[in-house]
Amino acid sequence: MKITANKSVSAEYELYVDGEVEGELELMEKATPEQPLSFVYGVGMMLPKFEENLFGMQVGDKFDFVINNEDAYGPYDDESVLDLDRAIFEVDGKLDEEMIFEGNVVPLMDGDGNRINAQVVSISDTHVKVDLNHPLAGENLHFKGSVLEVREATEKELAAIMGGGCGCGSGGCGDSCGSGGCGDNEEEMADSCGCGSGCGCN
């Protein structure tokens, strides 16, 4: 069976980005046979270029490709690093230190009520600096892996996707989406979202 629309796909992979030393690659995340990336093809769960490179593959096929940042999470935007009033993050005049600390990813709302993830960069007496860029913004994504399973998606998987919707990107819905979850149906979406750390959940 080949990878085409509405097929459930499982794959193992390693994701590399350009390292600090020219010509060297840095491992960012991996999905193993024990914890593979699982997704339904062609429903918007993965980056379009990622799916494009897997189209027509079968179980056992290996892949090795690069997605340029323009086709992944775009270039890094310095204007998406903001200094926000510390009071926004305070409860009864005190900073929620369990949530607001350097390096943590916190959910915020934009002016239109859309939920966005922001990483805390630094904290001062008056402001909290946050970075709204995706963790992999500006990075070229180098995937190496193989296809483990291709099958027809179940009605439950398709229904869960239609009900929630997980805009996963480089990997599945994992670490960096843990703070935001996948749509409104986290338990149901667990069946159709894979594991990874670099996804952009909607």
Side-chain angles (χ1 to χ4, degrees), residues 29-199:
E29 67 181 33
K30 65 190 299 183
T32 64
E34 295 75 28
Q35 289 188 306
L37 162 68
S38 298
F39 65 98
V40 177
Y41 189 93
V43 297
M45 292 173 67
M46 307 301 294
L47 288 170
K49 283 292 183 182
F50 182 90
E51 291 196 337
E52 185 179 303
N53 279 279
L54 265 60
F55 181 79
M57 285 190 170
Q58 303 178 68
V59 172
D61 285 351
K62 297 184 183 301
F63 52 85
D64 187 339
F65 58 86
V66 177
I67 303 177
N68 292 327
N69 69 71
E70 292 88 351
D71 294 318
Y73 299 103
Y76 188 86
D77 182 10
D78 290 328
E79 293 185 3
S80 291
V81 180
L82 308 174
D83 281 314
L84 301 178
D85 194 320
R86 182 182 171 115
I88 295 173
F89 304 95
E90 293 180 344
V91 178
D92 295 329
K94 293 184 178 181
L95 194 68
D96 182 0
E97 295 182 354
E98 291 187 4
M99 189 71 162
I100 309 302
F101 56 89
E102 289 185 16
N104 195 34
V105 175
V106 296
L108 300 176
M109 289 282 188
D110 65 13
D112 297 321
N114 298 311
R115 186 169 178 167
I116 52 177
N117 286 334
Q119 184 173 39
V120 179
V121 177
S122 63
I123 303 169
S124 72
D125 291 338
T126 57
H127 290 82
V128 175
K129 185 187 291 288
V130 298
D131 187 349
L132 304 183
N133 285 287
H134 188 279
L136 292 174
E139 301 284 4
N140 298 322
L141 311 181
H142 189 164
F143 288 93
K144 295 181 180 181
S146 62
V147 179
L148 300 175
E149 181 184 43
V150 182
R151 60 174 173 77
E152 295 290 345
T154 65
E155 291 185 7
K156 179 180 178 182
E157 287 171 330
L158 293 173
I161 293 163
M162 294 301 185
C166 181
C168 293
S170 66
C173 279
D175 296 343
S176 70
C177 289
S179 61
C182 295
D184 297 321
N185 274 324
E186 293 187 29
E187 290 184 6
E188 290 182 12
M189 291 304 296
D191 292 332
S192 52
C193 286
C195 297
S197 62
C199 84

